[in-house]
Protein backbone atom coordinates (compact mmCIF):
# COMPACT_ATOMS: atom_id res chain seq x y z
CA UNK A 1 0.00 0.00 0.00
CA UNK A 2 1.20 3.50 -0.86
CA UNK A 3 -0.21 6.69 0.58
CA UNK A 4 0.09 9.93 -1.36
CA UNK A 5 -0.58 13.44 -0.09
CA UNK A 6 -0.52 16.46 -2.40
CA UNK A 7 0.06 20.02 -1.30
CA UNK A 8 1.06 23.37 -2.73
CA UNK A 9 -2.04 24.32 -4.65
CA UNK A 10 -3.66 27.72 -4.43
CA UNK A 11 -4.54 30.87 -6.32
CA UNK A 12 -1.99 32.36 -8.71
CA UNK A 13 -2.15 35.01 -11.39
CA UNK A 14 -1.62 34.37 -15.07
CA UNK A 15 2.06 33.96 -15.81
CA UNK A 16 2.87 32.96 -12.26
CA UNK A 17 4.39 29.78 -10.87
CA UNK A 18 3.50 27.12 -8.34
CA UNK A 19 5.29 24.06 -7.04
CA UNK A 20 3.14 21.12 -6.06
CA UNK A 21 4.39 18.43 -3.72
CA UNK A 22 3.42 14.77 -3.47
CA UNK A 23 4.59 13.12 -0.26
CA UNK A 24 4.69 9.33 -0.49
CA UNK A 25 4.68 6.79 2.31
CA UNK A 26 3.97 3.13 2.81
CA UNK A 27 5.55 0.40 0.72
CA UNK A 28 8.97 0.94 -0.77
CA UNK A 29 8.35 3.87 -3.07
CA UNK A 30 11.65 3.31 -4.88
CA UNK A 31 10.04 0.62 -7.03
CA UNK A 32 7.18 2.84 -8.20
CA UNK A 33 6.47 5.35 -10.92
CA UNK A 34 4.80 8.54 -9.68
CA UNK A 35 2.74 10.66 -12.00
CA UNK A 36 0.88 13.95 -11.95
CA UNK A 37 -2.59 14.40 -13.41
CA UNK A 38 -5.19 17.11 -13.37
CA UNK A 39 -8.93 17.32 -13.78
CA UNK A 40 -10.87 20.44 -14.67
CA UNK A 41 -14.63 20.67 -14.13
CA UNK A 42 -16.52 18.70 -16.76
CA UNK A 43 -13.33 17.21 -18.22
CA UNK A 44 -11.55 13.90 -18.00
CA UNK A 45 -8.51 13.45 -15.83
CA UNK A 46 -5.43 14.40 -17.85
CA UNK A 47 -1.89 13.05 -17.65
CA UNK A 48 0.81 15.68 -17.12
CA UNK A 49 4.10 14.04 -16.18
CA UNK A 50 5.59 10.96 -14.56
CA UNK A 51 8.91 9.90 -13.08
CA UNK A 52 10.31 6.48 -12.40
CA UNK A 53 11.71 6.42 -8.90
CA UNK A 54 14.24 3.72 -9.67
CA UNK A 55 15.56 4.87 -13.05
CA UNK A 56 14.94 8.59 -12.84
CA UNK A 57 13.36 8.60 -16.30
CA UNK A 58 10.62 11.11 -16.89
CA UNK A 59 7.74 11.52 -19.31
CA UNK A 60 5.61 14.54 -20.12
CA UNK A 61 2.43 15.39 -21.92
CA UNK A 62 3.17 17.54 -24.96
CA UNK A 63 0.77 20.18 -23.69
CA UNK A 64 2.88 20.99 -20.62
CA UNK A 65 6.43 19.81 -21.33
CA UNK A 66 7.73 23.32 -21.96
CA UNK A 67 6.24 24.76 -18.76
CA UNK A 68 6.07 21.96 -16.17
CA UNK A 69 8.93 20.02 -14.59
CA UNK A 70 8.67 16.88 -12.49
CA UNK A 71 11.37 16.08 -9.97
CA UNK A 72 11.83 14.04 -6.82
CA UNK A 73 13.61 14.16 -3.51
CA UNK A 74 14.62 10.65 -2.57
CA UNK A 75 15.45 11.53 1.00
CA UNK A 76 12.04 13.09 1.56
CA UNK A 77 10.07 10.55 -0.53
CA UNK A 78 8.50 13.50 -2.29
CA UNK A 79 7.78 14.20 -5.94
CA UNK A 80 7.35 17.78 -7.13
CA UNK A 81 5.66 19.43 -10.07
CA UNK A 82 7.06 22.84 -10.87
CA UNK A 83 4.56 24.78 -12.94
CA UNK A 84 5.61 27.97 -14.71
CA UNK A 85 3.89 30.46 -17.01
CA UNK A 86 0.51 29.40 -15.70
CA UNK A 87 -2.59 30.02 -17.78
CA UNK A 88 -6.29 30.15 -16.86
CA UNK A 89 -6.74 26.78 -18.58
CA UNK A 90 -4.38 25.25 -16.02
CA UNK A 91 -7.10 25.71 -13.41
CA UNK A 92 -7.95 22.21 -12.13
CA UNK A 93 -7.59 19.78 -9.28
CA UNK A 94 -4.11 18.28 -9.46
CA UNK A 95 -3.50 14.70 -8.39
CA UNK A 96 -0.45 12.56 -7.92
CA UNK A 97 -0.63 8.82 -8.44
CA UNK A 98 1.65 5.79 -8.24
CA UNK A 99 2.02 2.52 -10.08
CA UNK A 100 4.61 -0.24 -10.26
CA UNK A 101 4.27 -0.81 -14.02
CA UNK A 102 6.07 2.12 -15.61
CA UNK A 103 5.80 5.53 -17.23
CA UNK A 104 2.22 5.29 -18.41
CA UNK A 105 -0.17 8.03 -19.48
CA UNK A 106 -3.36 6.21 -18.66
CA UNK A 107 -5.11 6.71 -15.35
CA UNK A 108 -6.07 3.03 -15.49
CA UNK A 109 -2.41 2.06 -15.03
CA UNK A 110 -2.13 3.83 -11.69
CA UNK A 111 -3.03 2.03 -8.49
CA UNK A 112 -2.77 4.69 -5.79
CA UNK A 113 -4.04 8.24 -5.80
CA UNK A 114 -3.81 11.25 -3.56
CA UNK A 115 -6.78 13.40 -2.60
CA UNK A 116 -5.86 16.24 -4.96
CA UNK A 117 -4.96 19.88 -4.55
CA UNK A 118 -6.80 22.76 -6.21
CA UNK A 119 -4.98 25.17 -8.49
CA UNK A 120 -6.74 28.32 -9.64
CA UNK A 121 -5.16 30.63 -12.18
CA UNK A 122 -6.77 34.04 -12.35
CA UNK A 123 -6.62 36.51 -15.18
Amino acid sequence: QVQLVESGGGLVQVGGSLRLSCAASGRTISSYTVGWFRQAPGKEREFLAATSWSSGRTNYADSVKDRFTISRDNAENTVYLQMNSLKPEDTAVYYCAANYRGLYYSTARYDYWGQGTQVNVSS
Side-chain angles (χ1 to χ4, degrees), residues 51-112:
T51 182
S52 168
W53 212 287
S54 57
S55 71
R57 290 176 57 210
T58 59
N59 208 357
Y60 291 91
D62 289 341
S63 59
V64 301
K65 64 181 180 180
D66 295 329
R67 299 186 295 125
F68 292 6
T69 302
I70 191 170
S71 62
R72 72 193 191 284
D73 183 328
N74 293 342
E76 297 293 328
N77 276 355
T78 300
V79 175
Y80 302 100
L81 185 69
Q82 177 67 43
M83 307 187 296
N84 299 326
S85 302
L86 286 164
K87 307 173 183 179
E89 51 264 43
D90 293 318
T91 294
V93 178
Y94 284 69
Y95 299 89
C96 65
N99 81 77
Y100 59 88
R101 301 177 182 88
L103 291 168
Y104 289 102
Y105 293 90
S106 171
T107 58
R109 294 284 190 171
Y110 287 79
D111 305 290
Y112 306 102

Coordinates of all heavy atoms in Angstrom, one line a residue, residues 51-112:
T51 N 7.5 10.2 -13.3 CA 8.9 9.9 -13.1 C 9.0 8.5 -12.5 O 8.3 8.1 -11.6 CB 9.6 11.0 -12.2 OG1 10.9 10.7 -12.0 CG2 8.9 11.0 -10.8
S52 N 10.0 7.8 -13.0 CA 10.3 6.5 -12.4 C 11.3 6.7 -11.2 O 12.4 7.2 -11.4 CB 11.0 5.6 -13.5 OG 11.5 4.4 -12.8
W53 N 10.9 6.2 -10.1 CA 11.7 6.4 -8.9 C 13.0 5.7 -9.0 O 14.1 6.2 -8.6 CB 11.0 6.0 -7.6 CG 11.4 6.8 -6.5 CD1 12.5 6.8 -5.8 CD2 10.6 7.8 -5.8 NE1 12.5 7.7 -4.8 CE2 11.3 8.3 -4.8 CE3 9.3 8.3 -6.1 CZ2 10.8 9.3 -3.9 CZ3 8.8 9.3 -5.2 CH2 9.6 9.8 -4.2
S54 N 13.0 4.5 -9.6 CA 14.2 3.7 -9.7 C 15.2 4.2 -10.8 O 16.4 4.2 -10.5 CB 13.9 2.2 -9.9 OG 13.1 2.1 -11.1
S55 N 14.7 4.5 -11.9 CA 15.6 4.9 -13.0 C 15.8 6.4 -13.2 O 16.8 6.8 -13.8 CB 15.0 4.3 -14.4 OG 13.8 5.0 -14.7
G56 N 14.9 7.2 -12.7 CA 14.9 8.6 -12.8 C 14.4 9.1 -14.2 O 14.4 10.3 -14.4
R57 N 13.9 8.2 -15.0 CA 13.4 8.6 -16.3 C 12.1 9.4 -16.1 O 11.4 9.1 -15.1 CB 13.1 7.4 -17.2 CG 14.3 6.7 -17.7 CD 13.9 5.4 -18.4 NE 13.0 5.8 -19.5 CZ 12.1 4.9 -20.0 NH1 12.0 3.7 -19.4 NH2 11.3 5.3 -21.0
T58 N 11.8 10.3 -17.0 CA 10.6 11.1 -16.9 C 9.9 11.1 -18.2 O 10.4 10.8 -19.3 CB 10.9 12.6 -16.5 OG1 11.8 13.1 -17.5 CG2 11.6 12.7 -15.2
N59 N 8.6 11.5 -18.1 CA 7.7 11.5 -19.3 C 6.8 12.7 -19.1 O 6.3 12.9 -18.0 CB 7.0 10.2 -19.5 CG 6.6 9.9 -20.9 OD1 6.9 10.7 -21.8 ND2 6.0 8.8 -21.1
Y60 N 6.5 13.4 -20.2 CA 5.6 14.5 -20.1 C 4.5 14.5 -21.2 O 4.8 14.0 -22.3 CB 6.4 15.8 -20.3 CG 7.4 16.2 -19.2 CD1 8.7 15.8 -19.2 CD2 6.9 16.9 -18.1 CE1 9.5 16.1 -18.2 CE2 7.8 17.3 -17.1 CZ 9.1 16.8 -17.1 OH 9.9 17.2 -16.1
A61 N 3.4 15.1 -20.9 CA 2.4 15.4 -21.9 C 2.9 16.5 -22.8 O 3.5 17.5 -22.2 CB 1.1 15.8 -21.3
D62 N 2.7 16.5 -24.1 CA 3.2 17.5 -25.0 C 2.6 18.9 -24.6 O 3.3 19.9 -24.7 CB 2.8 17.2 -26.4 CG 3.5 16.1 -27.0 OD1 4.6 15.7 -26.4 OD2 3.1 15.5 -28.0
S63 N 1.4 18.9 -24.0 CA 0.8 20.2 -23.7 C 1.5 21.0 -22.6 O 1.2 22.2 -22.5 CB -0.7 19.9 -23.3 OG -0.8 19.1 -22.2
V64 N 2.3 20.3 -21.8 CA 2.9 21.0 -20.6 C 4.4 20.9 -20.6 O 5.0 21.5 -19.7 CB 2.3 20.5 -19.3 CG1 0.8 20.7 -19.3 CG2 2.6 19.0 -19.0
K65 N 5.0 20.1 -21.5 CA 6.4 19.8 -21.3 C 7.3 21.0 -21.4 O 8.5 21.0 -20.8 CB 6.9 18.8 -22.4 CG 6.8 19.3 -23.8 CD 7.2 18.2 -24.8 CE 7.1 18.7 -26.2 NZ 7.5 17.6 -27.2
D66 N 6.9 22.1 -21.9 CA 7.7 23.3 -22.0 C 7.5 24.2 -20.7 O 8.3 25.2 -20.5 CB 7.4 24.1 -23.2 CG 7.8 23.4 -24.5 OD1 8.8 22.6 -24.4 OD2 7.1 23.6 -25.5
R67 N 6.5 23.9 -19.9 CA 6.2 24.8 -18.8 C 6.3 24.0 -17.4 O 6.5 24.7 -16.4 CB 4.8 25.4 -18.9 CG 4.7 26.2 -20.2 CD 3.3 26.9 -20.1 NE 2.2 25.9 -20.2 CZ 1.2 25.8 -19.4 NH1 1.2 26.6 -18.3 NH2 0.3 24.9 -19.6
F68 N 6.1 22.7 -17.4 CA 6.1 22.0 -16.2 C 7.3 21.1 -16.1 O 7.8 20.5 -17.1 CB 4.8 21.1 -16.1 CG 3.5 21.8 -16.0 CD1 3.5 23.2 -16.0 CD2 2.3 21.1 -15.8 CE1 2.2 23.9 -15.9 CE2 1.1 21.8 -15.7 CZ 1.1 23.2 -15.8
T69 N 7.8 20.9 -14.8 CA 8.9 20.0 -14.6 C 8.6 19.1 -13.4 O 8.3 19.6 -12.3 CB 10.2 20.8 -14.3 OG1 10.5 21.7 -15.4 CG2 11.4 19.9 -14.1
I70 N 8.8 17.8 -13.6 CA 8.7 16.9 -12.5 C 10.0 16.5 -11.9 O 11.0 16.4 -12.7 CB 7.9 15.6 -13.0 CG1 7.5 14.7 -11.8 CG2 8.7 14.8 -14.0 CD1 6.6 13.6 -12.2
S71 N 10.1 16.4 -10.6 CA 11.4 16.1 -10.0 C 11.0 15.3 -8.7 O 9.9 15.3 -8.3 CB 12.2 17.3 -9.7 OG 11.5 18.2 -8.8
R72 N 12.1 14.8 -8.1 CA 11.8 14.0 -6.8 C 13.0 14.2 -5.8 O 14.1 14.5 -6.2 CB 11.6 12.5 -7.1 CG 12.9 11.8 -7.5 CD 12.6 10.5 -8.1 NE 13.8 9.7 -8.2 CZ 14.7 9.8 -9.2 NH1 14.5 10.8 -10.1 NH2 15.8 9.1 -9.2
D73 N 12.6 14.1 -4.6 CA 13.6 14.2 -3.5 C 13.6 12.8 -2.8 O 12.6 12.5 -2.1 CB 13.2 15.3 -2.5 CG 14.3 15.4 -1.4 OD1 14.9 14.4 -1.0 OD2 14.4 16.6 -1.0
N74 N 14.6 12.0 -3.1 CA 14.6 10.6 -2.6 C 14.6 10.6 -1.1 O 14.0 9.8 -0.4 CB 15.8 9.9 -3.1 CG 15.7 9.6 -4.6 OD1 14.7 9.7 -5.2 ND2 16.9 9.3 -5.2
A75 N 15.3 11.5 -0.5 CA 15.5 11.5 1.0 C 14.1 11.8 1.7 O 13.8 11.3 2.7 CB 16.5 12.5 1.4
E76 N 13.3 12.7 1.0 CA 12.0 13.1 1.6 C 10.9 12.3 1.0 O 9.7 12.5 1.4 CB 11.8 14.6 1.3 CG 12.8 15.5 1.9 CD 12.7 15.5 3.4 OE1 11.6 15.3 3.9 OE2 13.7 15.7 4.1
N77 N 11.1 11.3 0.1 CA 10.1 10.6 -0.5 C 9.0 11.5 -1.1 O 7.8 11.2 -0.9 CB 9.4 9.6 0.5 CG 10.2 8.3 0.6 OD1 11.2 8.1 -0.2 ND2 9.8 7.4 1.5
T78 N 9.4 12.5 -1.8 CA 8.5 13.5 -2.3 C 8.8 13.7 -3.8 O 9.9 13.8 -4.2 CB 8.6 14.8 -1.5 OG1 8.3 14.6 -0.1 CG2 7.7 15.9 -2.0
V79 N 7.7 13.9 -4.5 CA 7.8 14.2 -5.9 C 7.2 15.6 -6.1 O 6.1 15.9 -5.5 CB 7.0 13.2 -6.8 CG1 7.0 13.6 -8.3 CG2 7.7 11.8 -6.7
Y80 N 7.8 16.4 -6.9 CA 7.4 17.8 -7.1 C 6.9 18.0 -8.6 O 7.3 17.3 -9.5 CB 8.5 18.8 -6.8 CG 9.0 18.6 -5.4 CD1 10.2 17.9 -5.2 CD2 8.4 19.2 -4.4 CE1 10.7 17.8 -3.9 CE2 8.9 19.1 -3.1 CZ 10.0 18.4 -2.9 OH 10.5 18.3 -1.6
L81 N 6.0 19.0 -8.7 CA 5.7 19.4 -10.1 C 5.8 20.9 -10.1 O 5.0 21.6 -9.4 CB 4.2 19.0 -10.4 CG 3.8 19.4 -11.9 CD1 4.6 18.5 -12.9 CD2 2.3 19.2 -12.1
Q82 N 6.8 21.4 -10.7 CA 7.1 22.8 -10.9 C 6.3 23.3 -12.1 O 6.5 22.8 -13.2 CB 8.5 23.1 -11.0 CG 8.9 24.6 -11.3 CD 8.6 25.5 -10.0 OE1 8.9 25.1 -8.9 NE2 8.0 26.6 -10.3
M83 N 5.4 24.3 -11.9 CA 4.6 24.8 -12.9 C 4.9 26.3 -13.2 O 4.7 27.1 -12.2 CB 3.1 24.6 -12.6 CG 2.7 23.1 -12.2 SD 1.0 22.9 -12.0 CE 0.6 23.9 -10.6
N84 N 5.3 26.6 -14.4 CA 5.6 28.0 -14.7 C 4.7 28.5 -15.8 O 4.0 27.7 -16.5 CB 7.1 28.0 -15.2 CG 8.0 27.6 -14.1 OD1 7.8 27.8 -12.9 ND2 9.1 27.0 -14.5
S85 N 4.7 29.8 -16.0 CA 3.9 30.5 -17.0 C 2.4 29.9 -17.0 O 1.9 29.6 -18.1 CB 4.5 30.2 -18.4 OG 5.9 30.7 -18.4
L86 N 1.8 30.0 -15.8 CA 0.5 29.4 -15.7 C -0.5 30.2 -16.5 O -0.4 31.4 -16.6 CB 0.1 29.3 -14.2 CG 0.9 28.1 -13.5 CD1 0.8 28.3 -12.0 CD2 0.3 26.8 -13.9
K87 N -1.5 29.5 -17.0 CA -2.6 30.0 -17.8 C -3.9 29.7 -17.1 O -4.0 28.8 -16.3 CB -2.6 29.4 -19.2 CG -1.2 29.5 -19.9 CD -1.2 28.7 -21.2 CE 0.1 28.7 -21.8 NZ 0.1 27.9 -23.1
P88 N -5.0 30.5 -17.4 CA -6.3 30.2 -16.9 C -6.7 28.7 -17.1 O -7.4 28.1 -16.3 CB -7.2 31.2 -17.6 CG -6.3 32.3 -17.9 CD -5.0 31.7 -18.3
E89 N -6.3 28.2 -18.3 CA -6.7 26.8 -18.6 C -6.0 25.7 -17.8 O -6.3 24.5 -17.8 CB -6.6 26.5 -20.1 CG -5.2 26.8 -20.6 CD -5.2 28.2 -21.3 OE1 -5.8 29.2 -20.7 OE2 -4.6 28.3 -22.4
D90 N -5.0 26.2 -16.9 CA -4.4 25.2 -16.0 C -5.2 25.1 -14.7 O -4.8 24.3 -13.9 CB -3.0 25.8 -15.7 CG -2.0 25.7 -16.9 OD1 -2.1 24.7 -17.6 OD2 -1.3 26.7 -17.0
T91 N -6.2 25.8 -14.6 CA -7.1 25.7 -13.4 C -7.7 24.3 -13.4 O -8.4 23.9 -14.3 CB -8.2 26.8 -13.4 OG1 -7.6 28.1 -13.3 CG2 -9.2 26.5 -12.3
A92 N -7.5 23.6 -12.3 CA -7.9 22.2 -12.1 C -7.6 21.7 -10.7 O -6.9 22.4 -10.0 CB -7.3 21.3 -13.2
V93 N -8.1 20.5 -10.4 CA -7.6 19.8 -9.3 C -6.4 18.9 -9.8 O -6.6 18.2 -10.8 CB -8.7 18.9 -8.7 CG1 -8.1 18.1 -7.5 CG2 -9.9 19.8 -8.2
Y94 N -5.3 19.0 -9.1 CA -4.1 18.3 -9.5 C -3.9 17.1 -8.5 O -4.0 17.2 -7.3 CB -2.9 19.2 -9.4 CG -2.9 20.2 -10.6 CD1 -3.8 21.2 -10.7 CD2 -1.9 20.0 -11.6 CE1 -3.8 22.0 -11.8 CE2 -1.9 20.8 -12.7 CZ -2.8 21.9 -12.8 OH -2.8 22.7 -13.9
Y95 N -3.7 15.9 -9.1 CA -3.5 14.7 -8.4 C -2.1 14.1 -8.7 O -1.6 14.1 -9.8 CB -4.5 13.7 -8.8 CG -6.0 14.1 -8.6 CD1 -6.7 14.8 -9.6 CD2 -6.6 13.7 -7.4 CE1 -8.0 15.1 -9.4 CE2 -8.0 14.1 -7.2 CZ -8.6 14.8 -8.2 OH -9.9 15.1 -8.0
C96 N -1.6 13.4 -7.7 CA -0.4 12.6 -7.9 C -0.9 11.1 -7.7 O -1.9 10.9 -7.0 CB 0.8 12.9 -7.0 SG 0.6 12.6 -5.3
A97 N -0.2 10.2 -8.4 CA -0.6 8.8 -8.4 C 0.6 8.0 -8.6 O 1.6 8.4 -9.1 CB -1.6 8.5 -9.6
A98 N 0.5 6.7 -8.2 CA 1.6 5.8 -8.2 C 1.3 4.5 -8.9 O 0.1 4.0 -8.7 CB 2.2 5.6 -6.9
N99 N 2.2 3.9 -9.6 CA 2.0 2.5 -10.1 C 3.4 1.8 -10.1 O 4.4 2.5 -10.1 CB 1.4 2.5 -11.5 CG 2.4 2.8 -12.6 OD1 3.1 2.0 -13.0 ND2 2.4 4.1 -13.1
Y100 N 3.4 0.5 -10.2 CA 4.6 -0.2 -10.3 C 4.9 -0.8 -11.7 O 5.8 -1.6 -11.8 CB 4.6 -1.4 -9.3 CG 3.4 -2.4 -9.5 CD1 3.6 -3.5 -10.3 CD2 2.2 -2.2 -8.8 CE1 2.6 -4.3 -10.5 CE2 1.2 -3.1 -9.0 CZ 1.3 -4.1 -9.9 OH 0.3 -5.0 -10.1
R101 N 4.2 -0.3 -12.7 CA 4.3 -0.8 -14.0 C 5.2 0.0 -14.9 O 5.9 -0.6 -15.8 CB 2.9 -0.9 -14.7 CG 1.9 -1.7 -13.9 CD 0.5 -1.7 -14.6 NE -0.5 -2.5 -13.9 CZ -1.2 -2.0 -12.9 NH1 -1.0 -0.8 -12.5 NH2 -2.1 -2.7 -12.3
G102 N 5.2 1.3 -14.8 CA 6.1 2.1 -15.6 C 5.5 3.5 -15.9 O 4.5 3.9 -15.4
L103 N 6.1 4.1 -16.9 CA 5.8 5.5 -17.2 C 4.6 5.6 -18.2 O 4.7 5.9 -19.3 CB 7.0 6.2 -17.9 CG 8.2 6.4 -17.0 CD1 9.4 6.8 -17.8 CD2 7.9 7.5 -16.0
Y104 N 3.4 5.3 -17.6 CA 2.2 5.3 -18.4 C 1.4 6.6 -18.3 O 1.5 7.3 -17.4 CB 1.3 4.1 -17.9 CG 1.9 2.8 -18.3 CD1 2.5 2.0 -17.4 CD2 1.8 2.3 -19.6 CE1 3.0 0.8 -17.7 CE2 2.3 1.1 -19.9 CZ 2.9 0.3 -19.0 OH 3.5 -0.9 -19.3
Y105 N 0.7 6.9 -19.4 CA -0.2 8.0 -19.5 C -1.5 7.8 -18.9 O -2.2 8.7 -18.4 CB -0.4 8.4 -20.9 CG 0.8 8.9 -21.6 CD1 1.7 8.1 -22.3 CD2 1.1 10.3 -21.7 CE1 2.8 8.6 -23.0 CE2 2.3 10.8 -22.3 CZ 3.1 9.9 -23.0 OH 4.2 10.4 -23.6
S106 N -2.0 6.5 -19.0 CA -3.4 6.2 -18.7 C -3.6 6.2 -17.2 O -2.9 5.6 -16.4 CB -3.7 4.9 -19.3 OG -5.0 4.4 -18.8
T107 N -4.7 6.8 -16.8 CA -5.1 6.7 -15.4 C -5.3 5.3 -14.9 O -5.1 4.9 -13.7 CB -6.4 7.5 -15.1 OG1 -7.4 7.0 -15.9 CG2 -6.2 9.0 -15.4
A108 N -5.8 4.4 -15.8 CA -6.1 3.0 -15.5 C -4.8 2.2 -15.1 O -5.0 1.2 -14.4 CB -6.7 2.3 -16.7
R109 N -3.7 2.8 -15.4 CA -2.4 2.1 -15.0 C -1.9 2.4 -13.6 O -0.9 1.9 -13.2 CB -1.3 2.4 -16.0 CG -1.6 1.9 -17.4 CD -1.4 0.5 -17.6 NE -1.4 0.0 -19.0 CZ -1.1 -1.2 -19.4 NH1 -0.6 -2.1 -18.5 NH2 -1.1 -1.5 -20.6
Y110 N -2.6 3.4 -13.0 CA -2.1 3.8 -11.7 C -3.0 3.2 -10.6 O -4.2 3.2 -10.7 CB -2.1 5.4 -11.6 CG -1.0 5.9 -12.5 CD1 -1.1 6.0 -13.8 CD2 0.2 6.4 -11.8 CE1 0.0 6.5 -14.6 CE2 1.2 6.9 -12.6 CZ 1.1 6.9 -14.0 OH 2.2 7.4 -14.7
D111 N -2.4 2.8 -9.5 CA -3.0 2.0 -8.5 C -3.4 2.9 -7.3 O -4.3 2.5 -6.5 CB -2.1 0.9 -8.0 CG -1.7 0.0 -9.2 OD1 -2.6 -0.7 -9.8 OD2 -0.5 0.0 -9.6
Y112 N -2.6 3.9 -7.0 CA -2.8 4.7 -5.8 C -2.9 6.2 -6.2 O -2.1 6.6 -7.0 CB -1.6 4.5 -4.8 CG -1.4 3.0 -4.5 CD1 -0.3 2.3 -5.1 CD2 -2.2 2.4 -3.6 CE1 -0.1 1.0 -4.8 CE2 -2.0 1.0 -3.3 CZ -1.0 0.3 -3.9 OH -0.8 -1.0 -3.6

